[in-house]
Amino acid sequence: YKRKLGYSMNVNIKNSSQIEKKAEGLLDKYGVDKAPVNLFELCNGEGIKLSNVKFKNYKDDYIVGAIKKDKDGKINIYINKEENLDKRRFVIAQALGHYILEDFDEKGQRVILGKRDAYNSKNKQGFKANEFAENLLMNKDKVKKECLKLQKCKVSDDIIINSLAEMFGVSEQVMKFRLENLGLIKHV
């Protein structure tokens, strides 16, 4: 299977810098350089259909989204319409990560669960997709630049997290995690 737009990899992605480059490549491809990232533009450009749906519970977890490749190779992303906007945005970015990293199961799909896929390093597919989503929604250089501006104003970490979460269109929890990972705030 060779994607029409030149993405051809998955198992060869071994480290964070490769995932970061894939996210940057998708943004560059569509000239997206402002936050918050317009995910609809990216999905439309890639020919991916987005649908809001209501999922049933899955075992002891809940489904926040799914991505499926049909027999014709068309991609569909399904988002749990009961999630808030920030969560839906992150799930779309995760699903795009599974798509770009060519991470589908034998049925041509990947289900994103709320508990299992929330930064669980034991779930390699989910972890890579999360990392892709982070890089897609919160470009490292842009986050650093905006964080440093706020830090120069001597504001608290809470204000930095809140301001940047709003600016990048993500939840405060996701932004806090990103800032901690980038070493811009201390893990509390």
Side-chain angles (χ1 to χ4, degrees):
Y1 172 71
K2 181 85 169 160
R3 195 170 279 118
K4 64 180 178 180
L5 298 166
Y7 293 107
S8 58
M9 52 109 355
N10 92 349
V11 291
N12 297 325
I13 294 233
K14 292 185 171 61
N15 63 46
S16 296
S17 68
Q18 291 173 317
I19 292 171
E20 183 180 351
K21 282 186 173 103
K22 286 291 181 183
E24 288 173 357
L26 184 61
L27 293 170
D28 290 346
K29 180 177 180 177
Y30 295 103
V32 176
D33 63 353
K34 291 186 176 129
V37 170
N38 184 338
L39 295 169
F40 303 111
E41 182 180 340
L42 299 179
C43 288
N44 188 49
E46 293 293 303
I48 296 172
K49 181 181 176 190
L50 288 172
S51 300
N52 282 312
V53 298
K54 183 175 180 174
F55 288 107
K56 294 179 180 175
N57 284 343
Y58 180 81
K59 298 181 183 175
D60 64 342
D61 208 336
Y62 61 98
I63 299 172
V64 292
I67 182 167
K68 185 169 181 163
K69 179 172 42 174
D70 67 21
K71 291 176 181 150
D72 300 330
K74 292 187 175 144
I75 304 293
N76 295 286
I77 294 176
Y78 304 95
I79 306 302
N80 188 337
K81 66 182 181 181
E82 295 178 346
E83 295 292 339
N84 67 47
L85 179 60
D86 291 339
K87 181 67 173 181
R88 288 194 316 252
R89 283 179 47 77
F90 197 81
V91 171
I92 292 168
Q94 281 177 297
L96 282 169
H98 288 295
Y99 165 72
I100 295 297
L101 302 174
E102 297 184 18
D103 175 35
F104 296 97
D105 65 15
E106 65 281 350
K107 295 178 185 173
Q109 62 189 13
R110 179 67 60 198
V111 174
I112 302 166
L113 298 174
K115 294 177 191 169
R116 184 198 70 187
D117 292 325
Y119 294 104
N120 180 352
S121 60
K122 292 178 186 168
N123 173 6
K124 287 189 178 15
Q125 296 90 354
F127 190 76
K128 286 180 180 183
N130 281 344
E131 197 168 354
F132 180 90
E134 268 188 34
N135 283 290
L136 189 70
L137 296 173
M138 300 169 286
N139 174 277
K140 176 175 65 177
D141 295 330
K142 289 181 178 127
V143 168
K144 283 182 180 180
K145 179 182 171 188
E146 296 301 328
C147 183
L148 293 173
K149 279 187 203 175
L150 292 168
Q151 287 172 334
K152 284 181 183 178
C153 296
K154 308 276 187 222
V155 298
S156 70
D157 285 353
D158 286 343
I159 291 174
I160 290 171
I161 292 165
N162 180 278
S163 299
L164 294 180
E166 190 172 315
M167 181 184 296
F168 286 87
V170 297
S171 70
E172 289 181 19
Q173 178 185 3
V174 167
M175 182 53 72
K176 180 178 184 272
F177 190 82
R178 181 69 164 157
L179 292 171
E180 288 171 350
N181 280 349
L182 294 174
L184 295 169
I185 64 170
K186 288 187 168 66
H187 180 73
V188 181

